[in-house]
Amino acid sequence: MPSNEQRREAAKRKLERQLENRAQRARKRKQLAIAGSVVGVVVVVAIGAIAFTVTRGDDADPATTAAPEAGVMPAGRSEPLPDKVSCTYPPAQTPAAKEVDPPRTEDIDTNVENVSVSMETTQGNVGLTLDNAQSPCTVNSFLSLAGQGYFDNTPCHRLVTEGLKLLQCGDPSGSGTGGPGYGFDNEFPTDQYDPSDPAGQQPVTYPRGTIAMANSGQPGSNGSQFFLVYGDSQLPPQYTSFGTIDETGLETLEKVAAGGDDGSIQAGGGKPNLPIDITSVRMD
């Protein structure tokens, strides 16, 4: 019978093969699109875009009330990322809530724009589309954890229904302080703001259907906890947005939200009165 380590290695190899196959198909499509633009007549139209706390751990409290007005989250990156990027996942100060290997760090392919994932829960399915082109290091970590079964049979420990509208998951301990034993930096939309730009600390709307990372408010404090936004929520753009939730998933979240929370978290929200556990997270 294979050991847990052998199963994790097999899952990682399978995940890497799937991503590489998708990357090869994406590169071919990109090459064909470039070739078509060279032989055709290209008309360029300039379109102007107007660009105007959820936390984890013990280090900071989350925002729990909406600001009077919020700006608009950037529609996308001002410049696309290179075809391949490197990511860093340094060890965290606290041990992993569930033993896993850290993600790979080199040659993370951004040509795969989207990755479809099915998150099965005890309250229904939540379909996710992960935005690899916007936040590749975050997606790389999420898929690595999913492939190793990190999220399997773990509770969504926090529901917020006032000010913010979100469900927070990804901590196997269910305490809100657990992580994978490593951290990493924010990506989109945080990296679209200069660190000295005050706009980076002003609220923007995280739209209904967003999946984003929770953090402690400190650099490099992303880990495994994420939040699912079931209603427009205003937050500073300091939480990495890395995908969207399908309508079936939003119906599941709204069912849980309708049950309310127990108010047990001082910073806002609490455990859902209608418990919801993740049973599995798998690539489609």
Side-chain angles (χ1 to χ4, degrees):
M1 181 179 294
S3 65
N4 289 338
E5 183 176 356
Q6 289 171 326
R7 284 194 290 268
R8 286 197 298 268
E9 286 299 320
K12 286 176 67 177
R13 288 194 296 271
K14 181 179 179 182
L15 175 61
E16 289 175 359
R17 287 196 300 270
Q18 289 175 320
L19 290 175
E20 180 57 29
N21 289 337
R22 293 187 183 198
Q24 289 177 356
R25 292 194 295 270
R27 283 193 291 269
K28 288 179 181 178
R29 289 194 298 269
K30 187 175 182 179
Q31 290 167 354
L32 290 172
I34 292 172
S37 67
V38 170
V39 298
V41 177
V42 180
V43 178
V44 179
V45 179
I47 302 176
I50 301 175
F52 284 43
T53 65
V54 178
T55 61
R56 54 161 293 274
D58 304 320
D59 300 322
D61 289 336
T64 57
T65 56
E69 294 183 4
V72 179
M73 186 186 293
R77 289 189 168 277
S78 57
E79 295 182 2
L81 291 168
D83 288 348
K84 297 285 183 72
V85 298
S86 296
C87 304
T88 57
Y89 304 100
Q93 293 182 348
T94 55
K98 189 175 182 179
E99 183 183 355
V100 285
D101 296 323
R104 61 193 181 98
T105 59
E106 299 298 327
D107 295 329
I108 310 303
D109 201 316
T110 65
N111 285 289
V112 179
E113 293 187 3
N114 299 306
V115 180
S116 297
V117 169
S118 179
M119 186 169 78
E120 297 289 343
T121 81
T122 52
Q123 296 299 336
N125 184 64
V126 178
L128 305 173
T129 300
L130 306 184
D131 196 339
N132 186 64
Q134 296 276 44
S135 300
C137 294
T138 304
V139 172
N140 181 53
S141 173
F142 187 90
L143 292 176
S144 174
L145 293 172
Q148 297 180 73
Y150 180 88
F151 299 119
D152 294 0
N153 304 310
T154 63
C156 291
H157 60 276
R158 182 186 183 193
L159 174 70
V160 184
T161 59
E162 295 185 8
L164 305 177
K165 297 182 183 298
L166 57 90
L167 179 70
Q168 193 165 332
C169 314
D171 174 10
S173 74
S175 66
T177 61
Y182 63 81
F184 58 96
D185 290 330
N186 287 354
E187 292 186 285
F188 183 86
T190 309
D191 57 11
Q192 298 305 288
Y193 296 85
D194 187 278
S196 63
D197 186 353
Q201 302 298 328
Q202 299 302 312
V204 299
T205 297
Y206 279 67
R208 177 179 185 269
T210 299
I211 176 172
M213 292 299 297
N215 61 58
S216 69
Q218 302 298 317
S221 61
N222 294 294
S224 60
Q225 292 188 44
F226 58 91
F227 58 94
L228 304 157
V229 181
Y230 63 88
D232 289 358
S233 297
Q234 297 178 16
L235 291 162
Q238 296 298 316
Y239 304 93
T240 297
S241 171
F242 67 103
T244 55
I245 309 161
D246 68 6
E247 284 300 321
T248 300
L250 287 168
E251 290 174 4
T252 298
L253 299 177
E254 287 165 351
K255 177 176 69 172
V256 174
D261 65 83
D262 66 4
S264 60
I265 298 178
Q266 184 176 4
K271 291 183 179 180
N273 291 327
L274 183 62
I276 174 171
D277 293 352
I278 298 171
T279 56
S280 69
V281 180
R282 300 289 182 264
M283 287 177 61
D284 292 340

